[in-house]
Amino acid sequence: MEVVVMQRWAVIFLMGVGGCAVAPALAQAPVDSAAVCQRAADKLQGLVPQWRDFVMEFKAEASNPSVLALAEEHRQGRLKASFRRHCQREWGAHQAIFVCFSGSVTELGLALCMQKDTNPHGWEYRP
């Protein structure tokens, strides 16, 4: 039994070392902007109404014009297509926020994407 336990620990250790060796390669892998923009548009489509409600609840409309613009596009049924075009057009300057949007699962997550670390260049939505 002691040998089996040691073998398991050896396998786990080797998997951990292998994972550490793979992590830098994954971090430097090229990002598929079209896929990220599509995922971000999908996330926004589902979360923008709640994000707008969140902004309205805290009376923060003046400091969140992009949220209001996204909500208006959503109301008109154009958000996904408009956002995908916008994302592709602005990818070079605002990749970090688009990646953040693509991984968000709540309206608070979307709001957090607007912070300086993921929005260093002051992204604003302009359809």
Side-chain angles (χ1 to χ4, degrees):
M1 175 143 166
E2 190 171 318
V3 172
V4 172
V5 171
M6 289 180 66
Q7 287 175 344
R8 286 186 186 152
W9 281 109
V11 168
I12 291 169
F13 174 76
L14 290 174
M15 287 173 58
V17 170
C20 290
V22 172
L26 290 176
Q28 296 174 355
V31 177
D32 180 355
S33 62
V36 169
C37 289
Q38 178 63 49
R39 276 194 312 275
D42 291 342
K43 297 293 179 131
L44 287 167
Q45 179 69 26
L47 294 171
V48 159
Q50 294 90 348
W51 192 11
R52 181 195 168 279
D53 292 347
F54 185 72
V55 166
M56 301 299 280
E57 179 181 345
F58 289 96
K59 302 191 183 340
E61 301 92 336
S63 59
N64 289 283
S66 293
V67 177
L68 300 179
L70 289 164
E72 181 59 23
E73 290 283 302
H74 182 274
R75 189 185 69 74
Q76 294 177 10
R78 303 187 310 226
L79 178 60
K80 283 177 82 169
S82 292
F83 185 83
R84 278 194 312 267
R85 284 191 303 274
H86 169 83
C87 181
Q88 287 291 306
R89 185 177 65 241
E90 301 291 326
W91 181 259
H94 302 292
Q95 177 180 345
I97 196 166
F98 298 140
V99 170
C100 186
F101 283 160
S102 75
S104 294
V105 294
T106 66
E107 68 277 6
L108 181 57
L110 293 174
L112 290 173
C113 290
M114 299 292 281
Q115 300 303 309
K116 285 285 184 203
D117 59 337
T118 50
N119 189 16
H121 304 293
W123 171 84
E124 291 183 12
Y125 181 64
R126 294 185 186 100

